[in-house]
Amino acid sequence: MTIGGKEFERAGHTYIMGILNVTPDSFSDGGKYTTLDKALRHAEQMIAEGADIIDVGGESTRPGHTLISDEEEKERVLPVIEAVKKRFDVPVSVDTYKSGVAEEAVKAGADLINDIWGLKYDKKLAEVIAGAKVPCCLMHNRQTADYKHFMTDCLNDLKESLAIAKTAGIGEHQIILDPGVGFGKTYEHNLIVMKHLDAFRELGYPVLLGTSRKSMIGLTLDLPAGQRVEGTLVTTVMGVMAGMSFVRVHDVEANRRAIQMAEAILKVREESIWDTLG
C-alpha cells in the first residue's frame, strides 16, 4: 500500500510507526514534546533510528484521559504535522477519532488517519477519509470490556468497522487494522490478543500492533512505563512472527534492532527448509 508517496509491502516485513505525542498527559511521555522545537527534534531522532512513519497525537487516550475540544487538538497537532512534512521526507499519520481534526490534518499534510474507535465514534470520519483518499488504521475498541466470546466478538467488531469503511467508499487497499491492545480489554484479554495475533491477519488486511510500554507489560513485569522496553520488545518479536505489518512504538531504535534480528532468523529458517529438501 502507498502511504505518503512511499510504498509499504502488505506482508513480509514489519515497519515502524514512531509515536510523537504532543500532549501534556500521555501515560508514558506526556509533556515531553509539547513545543514545536522539541517535537521536531524527537521526530528527527526517531527517523534517524529507523521510523518509517511518524504518528502525531494531540489527545491522550490513556484510561481516564481528559477529553479536549477539536480546536485545542488542532492547535496541538497541525503545526507539528506541517513542520514535520516540510522538514523530513517521511509519511505522517495523525492519531485522532474526530472528523474535524482529521480533515484539517490532511490539509496540513497528514498521510494516514489513525482512529482508535474504528470509525464508530464520529460518523463523519469515514466520509472524510474516503474523500481525502488517504489510508486509515482502524482499531478495535469498546466502551467496556464486556464480551460473550472474546476473540469472536473482537473480530466481529472489526468487521463492523470494515463495513462502515466500505459503505463510505474507503478502498480496501487503504485499510490497516489494529487489534487494540489496552483498549476496552482486561489484562487477560490483552494477553489473549497477543497469543492470537494471527486471527487478526486472517481478516485479510495489514495489521498494526500497538503495545509499547502499555499496562499489559507493566502489570506482567510490575514496572513503571519508563522501564517497559524489554517487555515491549518481546511483543514486537511476537508481532513479527505473527506477520504484523506495523508496530507503533516509543523506542524506535531498540524495536528496529529486534525486528531486524527476528526477520533474519525467520528468513534463514525458510532457506534451511529448502536446503534440507534439496
Side-chain angles (χ1 to χ4, degrees), residues 44-106:
E44 184 175 30
Q45 177 186 351
M46 289 193 292
I47 293 166
E49 291 178 351
D52 301 290
I53 302 173
I54 300 297
D55 187 50
V56 180
E59 178 181 279
S60 172
T61 52
R62 63 179 174 79
H65 71 281
T66 302
L67 294 173
I68 62 173
S69 67
D70 284 25
E71 290 309 310
E72 186 173 359
E73 190 173 346
K74 290 176 190 176
E75 289 174 4
R76 292 178 181 180
V77 302
L78 298 184
V80 175
I81 293 169
E82 289 177 351
V84 171
K85 290 300 295 184
K86 183 177 180 180
R87 185 170 297 189
F88 308 110
D89 181 24
V90 65
V92 171
S93 64
V94 59
D95 183 1
T96 189
Y97 51 88
K98 302 170 186 173
S99 59
V101 176
E103 190 168 19
E104 293 302 315
V106 170

Side-chain angles (χ1 to χ4, degrees), residues 8-278:
F8 291 80
E9 297 295 328
R10 292 173 63 91
H13 176 59
T14 302
Y15 298 94
I16 295 176
M17 177 182 281
I19 300 169
L20 181 55
N21 285 323
V22 288
T23 57
D25 56 345
S26 289
F27 80 95
S28 177
D29 54 2
K32 281 189 172 183
Y33 312 114
T34 52
T35 69
L36 186 57
D37 284 347
K38 288 180 179 178
L40 285 173
R41 282 199 296 270
H42 190 52
E44 184 175 30
Q45 177 186 351
M46 289 193 292
I47 293 166
E49 291 178 351
D52 301 290
I53 302 173
I54 300 297
D55 187 50
V56 180
E59 178 181 279
S60 172
T61 52
R62 63 179 174 79
H65 71 281
T66 302
L67 294 173
I68 62 173
S69 67
D70 284 25
E71 290 309 310
E72 186 173 359
E73 190 173 346
K74 290 176 190 176
E75 289 174 4
R76 292 178 181 180
V77 302
L78 298 184
V80 175
I81 293 169
E82 289 177 351
V84 171
K85 290 300 295 184
K86 183 177 180 180
R87 185 170 297 189
F88 308 110
D89 181 24
V90 65
V92 171
S93 64
V94 59
D95 183 1
T96 189
Y97 51 88
K98 302 170 186 173
S99 59
V101 176
E103 190 168 19
E104 293 302 315
V106 170
K107 292 178 182 177
D111 304 297
L112 183 151
I113 308 301
N114 187 10
D115 176 17
I116 66 165
W117 284 106
L119 304 177
K120 296 179 182 180
Y121 181 92
D122 185 336
K123 303 304 181 184
K124 295 181 180 179
L125 182 55
E127 297 175 9
V128 169
I129 294 169
K133 293 182 171 56
V134 294
C136 58
C137 183
L138 309 180
M139 195 185 82
H140 176 267
N141 202 347
R142 281 194 176 190
Q143 292 284 358
T144 60
D146 184 16
Y147 301 90
K148 185 175 181 180
H149 302 291
F150 174 64
M151 281 299 298
T152 299
D153 290 350
C154 282
L155 295 172
N156 286 337
D157 288 350
L158 282 173
K159 288 176 183 177
E160 291 174 359
S161 293
L162 290 168
I164 295 169
K166 183 177 180 180
T167 299
I170 299 172
E172 292 204 349
H173 64 286
Q174 295 173 254
I175 297 172
I176 301 166
L177 298 179
D178 181 343
V181 171
F183 289 83
K185 299 172 185 67
T186 65
Y187 168 70
E188 290 78 12
H189 288 153
N190 290 319
L191 293 177
I192 291 169
V193 167
M194 286 302 308
K195 193 171 183 178
H196 296 285
L197 290 173
D198 55 325
F200 295 93
R201 278 193 65 226
E202 289 172 6
L203 291 173
Y205 298 85
V207 179
L208 178 147
L209 179 63
T211 60
S212 186
R213 303 183 186 176
K214 285 187 175 177
S215 62
M216 173 187 70
I217 298 166
L219 290 170
T220 301
L221 304 178
D222 191 23
L223 291 172
Q227 296 179 32
R228 300 174 186 172
V229 178
E230 298 94 340
T232 299
L233 297 180
V234 171
T235 62
T236 291
V237 170
M238 293 185 72
V240 173
M241 296 177 71
M244 299 294 96
S245 296
F246 302 89
V247 290
R248 180 179 180 273
V249 300
H250 299 85
D251 306 285
V252 171
E253 185 171 63
N255 280 275
R256 177 185 58 76
R257 290 173 176 172
I259 290 168
Q260 185 176 348
M261 191 70 233
E263 289 183 343
I265 293 169
L266 291 174
K267 179 180 178 182
V268 168
R269 183 183 300 168
E270 292 176 2
E271 291 175 349
S272 296
I273 291 172
W274 288 108
D275 291 342
T276 301
L277 294 175

